[in-house]
């Protein structure tokens, strides 16, 4: 069995940098590596794409994707309807691939969800590539498999939500940073800044959370003088800032009449959209901070905040299965490498991924209104630390029993792992116990996370038996123990850590355990599950309206006489099913929350007077605004039977020009 070497590219081995730059696996890579990676990618593709025709299409974003596929104005600015009268409440970058897919393949649910599947599989492949360059094939395989089987990753990659693109782009940025530190080249560092900037287009300020970590990692571990490193960090930061703010600046300089109104803002300012509505309002009870519309904070989901957010009964089973192992790996990865040079790459990796995990945990704990799927962004860090940690623990375990064993693969990186000096080795001669202890810890933690629901209780005995077999096999190793027995024990222990989260992950293929389309999550947790305890919530895809919406669309189309807008709706809530069913210009009054001051009562009256608008659909489920008050006072309510309804319920259709 081969020890997992640790990276040591400086000093006497500086001349080996050219070999480290090779992007592909070395010629003498383990024979199992390619088949194993292929199998993991196939599993990921199946988990993420199974039943894609009935994917969890977010009602708000799904409506926008169809509209963006029909109009360049709506595409670039993220217009909610084809006319681009008002935008979605996020930057549009994450939805551009979805819109292109719908444009290419037609308004199908699977077409809108396909880019998410591709992004999810790419993230797994890219993480494997990055971890392999950092900690070797064994660590890379564990990381890829861990990420693939993380329940929230499976749930999110089967939905149409920006966090999938955010995660992929940040992982790409981490890979570029790692390459910059390893090779001392400027271009990878600039590329890192570009990836972070593109991630900003997907999820705005959340993409910047990694910047302090990345800057610190490069400053602490990259070759070169301190001043040179600092200047390079500033340059890469400037690139990240320019790419991040590119869309915001374009929207800012575009005349208001030439672009949609920016949802979530009280002043139609793109900076208010990014830094107010999607920024400060998440950390303050003052929902009007920095130009955000009133009621923004009230519209956030409740719960999932505080120091225990990552381990509560809802979020914990989504992402926290390897949290104790990741923390242990990050701490020991730094402590055990304390005597290495500043540029030690193995320690650098633990600092980078550990910092990624820590900063997100801190921000999630302080912010309000966190959906469980937000935590998908920490899944790559947990997976990388789990893989790198197990590889490090395995190397210490092997060093105990085979201290003179030399690496039998990747000879150009044979200096990655160097046994500690004799005195230090005597002080740390119990390090070999960490590997079985880590397996026990992770398997026990899985029992803790599953215990409140006992959702996959039938897998718990399997996990316990596998863990016992693995730990006993590792602890009972002797001089005559067969290498195959050790391999089998290690495989059994790793399987014990994966089997329970895998059960939760696979459950997401059942719509009953996939959460709501607005908040995907796996297992019997969350508001959606408790609201529908016996059946899955109904999901409407693209081009599949129900009978009620079909009747309304038929009525509006029949009575339309050249008006620009098919109708005006009170908030996006009432427009979403109509926009998903048919791409038409619809004036969405109030945006997502219903509180955005667009259009004003005067603007609405002008549209009616110039025969650009005739009908308005109001609802009691959203707040009253000056525009809705104008409709009620100037328009005539239509009887529900006129558009094939027995009663309006919470909706009311108004005709603002009945003489026509």
């Amino acid at each position: 069995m081969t020890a997992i070497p640790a990276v040591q590219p400086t000093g006497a081995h500086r001349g080996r940098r050219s070999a480290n730059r090779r992007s592909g696996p070395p010629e003498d890579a383990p024979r199992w590596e390619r088949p194993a990676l292929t199998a993991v990618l196939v599993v990921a593709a199946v988990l993420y794409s199974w039943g894609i025709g009935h994917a969890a299409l977010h009602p708000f974003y799904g409506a926008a994707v169809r509209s963006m596929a029909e109009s360049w104005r709506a595409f670039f600015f993220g217009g909610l309807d084809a006319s681009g009268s008002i935008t979605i409440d996020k930057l549009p970058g994450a939805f551009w691939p979805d819109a292109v897919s719908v444009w290419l393949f037609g308004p199908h649910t699977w077409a809108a969800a396909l880019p998410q599947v591709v992004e999810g599989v790419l993230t797994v492949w890219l993480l494997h590539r990055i971890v392999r360059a950092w900690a070797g094939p064994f660590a890379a395989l564990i990381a890829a498999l861990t990420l693939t089987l993380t329940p929230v990753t499976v749930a999110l990659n089967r939905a149409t939500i920006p966090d999938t693109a955010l995660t992929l782009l940040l992982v790409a940025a981490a890979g570029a940073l790692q390459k910059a530190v390893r090779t001392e080249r400027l271009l990878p560092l600039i590329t890192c800044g570009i990836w972070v900037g593109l991630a900003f287009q997907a999820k705005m300020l959340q993409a910047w959370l990694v910047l302090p970590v990345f800057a610190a990692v490069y400053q602490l571990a990259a070759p070169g003088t301190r001043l040179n490193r600092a200047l390079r960090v500033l340059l890469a930061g400037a690139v990240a800032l320019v790419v991040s703010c590119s869309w915001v600046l374009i929207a800012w300089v575009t005349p208001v009449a030439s672009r949609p109104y920016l949802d979530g803002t009280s002043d139609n300012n793109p900076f208010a959209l990014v830094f107010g509505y999607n920024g400060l309002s998440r950390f303050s009870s003052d929902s009007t901070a920095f130009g955000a519309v009133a009621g923004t904070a009230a519209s956030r989901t409740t719960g999932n905040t505080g120091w225990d957010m990552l381990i509560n009964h809802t979020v914990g089973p989504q992402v926290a299965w390897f949290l104790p192992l990741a923390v242990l790996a990050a701490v020991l990865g730094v402590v055990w490498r304390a005597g290495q040079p500043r540029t030690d790459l193995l320690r650098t990796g633990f600092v980078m991924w550990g910092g990624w995990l820590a900063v997100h945990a801190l921000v999630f704990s302080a912010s309000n209104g966190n959906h469980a799927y937000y935590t998908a962004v920490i899944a790559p860090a947990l997976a990388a630390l789990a893989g790198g940690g197990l590889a490090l623990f395995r190397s210490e375990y092997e060093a105990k029993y085979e201290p003179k064993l030399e690496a039998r693969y990747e000879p150009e990186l044979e200096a990655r792992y160097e046994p500690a000096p004799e005195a230090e080795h005597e002080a740390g001669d119990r390090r070999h116990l960490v590997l079985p202890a880590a397996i026990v810890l992770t398997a026990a933690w899985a029992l803790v996370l599953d215990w409140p629901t006992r959702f996959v209780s039938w897998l718990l005995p399997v996990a316990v038996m596998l863990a016992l077999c693995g730990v006993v096999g590792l602890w009972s190793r002797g001089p005559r123990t067969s290498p195959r027995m050790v391999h089998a024990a290690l495989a059994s222990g790793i399987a014990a850590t994966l089997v329970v989260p895998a059960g939760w992950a696979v459950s997401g293929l059942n719509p009953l355990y996939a959460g709501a389309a607005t908040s995907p999550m796996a297992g019997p947790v969350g508001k959606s599950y408790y609201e529908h305890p016996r059946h899955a919530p109904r999901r409407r895809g693209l081009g599949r309206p129900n009978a009620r919406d079909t009747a309304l669309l038929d009525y509006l189309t029949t009575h339309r006489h050249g008006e620009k807008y098919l109708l005006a709706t009170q908030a996006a809530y009432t427009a979403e099913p109509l926009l998903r069913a048919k791409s038409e210009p619809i004036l969405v009054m109030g945006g997502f929350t219903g509180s955005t001051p667009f259009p004003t009562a005067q603007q609405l009256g002008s549209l009616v007077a110039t025969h650009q608008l005739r009908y308005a659909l109001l609802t009691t489920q959203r707040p009253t605004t000056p525009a809705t008050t104008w409709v009620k006072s100037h328009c005539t309510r239509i009887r529900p039977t006129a558009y094939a309804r027995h009663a309006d319920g919470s909706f009311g259709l108004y005709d603002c020009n009945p003489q026509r």
Side-chain angles (χ1 to χ4, degrees):
M1 193 167 182
T2 305
I4 299 301
V7 179
Q8 181 58 43
T10 58
H13 302 282
R14 187 179 295 270
R16 301 181 188 268
R17 278 197 198 126
S18 59
N20 292 350
R21 294 175 185 173
R22 297 186 315 190
S23 57
E27 295 180 359
D28 55 348
R31 288 181 297 177
W32 53 261
E33 183 177 12
R34 287 183 183 274
L37 174 59
T38 301
V40 171
L41 294 178
V42 169
V43 170
V46 171
L47 286 176
Y48 305 161
S49 63
W50 189 271
I52 192 175
H54 301 280
L57 192 68
H58 192 290
F60 181 60
Y61 300 142
V65 164
R66 174 153 195 186
S67 299
M68 291 167 65
E70 299 288 338
S71 162
W72 281 110
R73 172 187 169 102
F75 177 85
F76 182 78
F77 289 107
L80 183 56
D81 74 310
S83 69
S85 58
I86 191 170
T87 69
I88 55 176
D89 63 347
K90 302 288 187 293
L91 296 191
F95 305 106
W96 285 339
D98 300 357
V100 169
S101 181
V102 171
W103 177 72
L104 287 173
F105 302 113
H108 308 293
T109 301
W110 65 264
L114 180 61
Q116 312 294 122
V117 176
V118 175
E119 290 165 359
V121 175
L122 280 177
T123 304
V124 173
W125 172 80
L126 191 57
L127 184 69
H128 179 278
R129 187 182 181 90
I130 294 169
V131 174
R132 191 194 193 285
W134 164 49
F138 173 77
L141 180 63
I142 298 301
L145 191 57
T146 300
L147 179 60
T148 297
L149 297 178
T150 299
V152 72
T153 300
V154 176
L156 183 64
N157 291 340
R158 297 169 54 81
T160 51
I161 289 179
D163 296 66
T164 304
L166 169 74
T167 304
L168 170 62
L169 293 167
L170 289 183
V171 169
L177 176 68
Q178 178 177 282
K179 187 174 182 179
V181 173
R182 186 177 73 243
T183 64
E184 199 179 353
R185 294 165 55 195
L186 177 61
L187 182 58
L189 188 62
I190 299 301
T191 304
C192 175
I194 293 174
W195 287 126
V196 172
L198 293 176
F200 187 94
Q201 304 300 326
K203 203 69 188 295
M204 294 165 289
L205 292 175
Q206 188 174 343
W208 284 359
L209 295 183
V210 298
L211 285 178
V213 177
F214 286 3
V217 165
Y218 190 84
Q219 187 67 25
L220 290 173
T225 65
R226 184 178 301 176
L227 177 60
N228 185 49
R229 298 196 305 272
L231 291 176
R232 288 188 169 201
V233 166
L234 291 176
L235 177 60
V239 170
L241 179 63
V242 170
V243 177
S244 296
C245 295
S246 56
W247 185 93
V248 175
L249 293 173
I250 292 173
W252 184 54
V253 301
T254 301
V256 172
S258 301
R259 62 167 171 82
Y261 190 96
L262 300 173
D263 191 15
T265 68
S266 60
D267 54 3
N268 200 11
N269 188 316
F271 292 97
L273 171 65
V274 173
F275 297 101
Y277 179 84
N278 288 291
L280 296 178
S281 70
R282 297 184 179 273
F283 298 91
S284 171
S285 59
D286 180 12
S287 60
T288 61
F290 210 89
V293 298
T296 297
S299 70
R300 310 292 187 202
T301 182
T302 57
N304 292 340
T305 189
W307 68 268
D308 62 340
M309 180 223 173
L310 291 180
I311 58 174
N312 68 33
H313 72 282
T314 299
V315 179
Q318 306 304 311
V319 74
W321 302 96
F322 291 87
L323 182 60
L325 174 60
V327 173
L328 180 66
V331 172
L332 295 184
V334 172
V335 172
W336 287 358
R337 306 293 294 182
Q340 300 298 322
R342 177 182 62 82
T343 53
D344 177 56
L345 290 188
L346 186 61
R347 181 181 58 212
T348 299
F350 285 111
V351 172
M352 181 181 72
W353 294 113
W356 178 319
L357 173 62
V359 72
H360 280 91
L362 179 63
V363 172
F364 286 150
S365 298
S367 61
N368 57 62
N370 295 307
H371 287 285
Y373 68 79
Y374 288 179
T375 60
V377 73
I378 69 172
L382 290 170
L385 289 170
L390 287 176
L392 179 64
F393 303 157
R394 178 189 173 200
S395 69
E396 293 292 340
Y397 178 85
E398 291 295 342
K400 170 69 175 180
Y401 295 101
E402 302 178 53
K404 296 182 180 181
L405 185 66
E406 295 182 357
R408 289 195 289 266
Y409 63 91
E410 295 188 274
E412 76 280 4
L413 298 180
E414 63 183 3
R416 276 186 176 180
Y417 180 77
E418 296 179 355
E422 184 176 352
E424 183 181 340
H425 199 283
E426 291 178 358
D429 60 358
R430 295 187 182 276
R431 290 184 180 182
H432 68 287
L433 299 178
V434 175
L435 178 60
I439 292 173
V440 171
L441 173 66
T442 307
W445 179 246
L447 306 185
V448 172
L449 289 180
D450 184 72
W451 192 255
T453 59
R454 296 173 180 81
F455 179 49
V456 290
S457 57
W458 60 278
L459 285 176
L460 299 182
V462 177
V464 172
M465 291 179 61
L466 288 171
L468 287 175
C469 291
V471 171
V472 170
L474 293 173
W475 266 336
S476 62
R477 181 174 183 176
R480 297 184 179 181
T481 304
S482 168
R484 290 186 178 181
M485 294 291 293
V486 178
H487 292 168
L490 181 60
S492 178
I494 293 173
T497 67
L498 290 168
V499 63
V500 179
W504 278 75
V506 173
S507 74
L509 303 186
N510 183 345
L512 177 62
Y513 301 116
T518 56
S519 184
M521 63 180 72
V525 293
K527 181 179 178 182
S528 174
Y529 174 78
Y530 292 111
E531 288 181 348
H532 307 275
R534 295 184 180 179
H535 58 85
R538 293 182 179 180
R539 291 174 177 171
R540 299 293 180 183
L542 295 185
R544 298 202 301 261
N546 58 25
R548 182 188 65 181
D549 295 331
T550 299
L552 178 58
L553 285 170
D554 290 343
Y555 177 85
L556 294 171
T557 302
T558 301
H559 294 80
R560 188 178 185 181
H561 300 288
E563 291 86 3
K564 175 181 178 180
Y565 295 101
L566 185 65
L567 83 161
T569 66
Q570 182 179 1
Y573 165 69
T574 52
E576 289 164 1
L578 306 179
L579 289 171
R580 294 195 305 273
K582 189 175 183 180
S583 181
E584 290 283 357
I586 293 180
L587 183 67
V588 181
M589 302 184 296
F592 179 71
T593 64
S595 301
T596 298
F598 173 83
T600 64
Q602 182 180 1
Q603 289 172 326
L604 187 63
S606 177
L607 290 173
V608 171
T610 56
H611 304 294
Q612 298 183 66
L613 175 68
R614 178 174 179 179
Y615 295 101
L617 184 64
L618 305 187
T619 177
T620 59
Q621 302 297 314
R622 293 297 183 267
T624 299
T625 64
T628 60
T629 300
W630 187 94
V631 169
K632 291 179 180 179
S633 60
H634 291 80
C635 306
T636 303
R637 187 162 184 169
I638 302 173
R639 292 177 301 171
T641 55
Y643 47 97
R645 291 191 190 181
H646 298 293
D648 273 339
S650 61
F651 296 96
L653 182 64
Y654 291 80
D655 188 345
C656 298
N657 198 358
Q659 64 272 21
R660 297 186 65 183

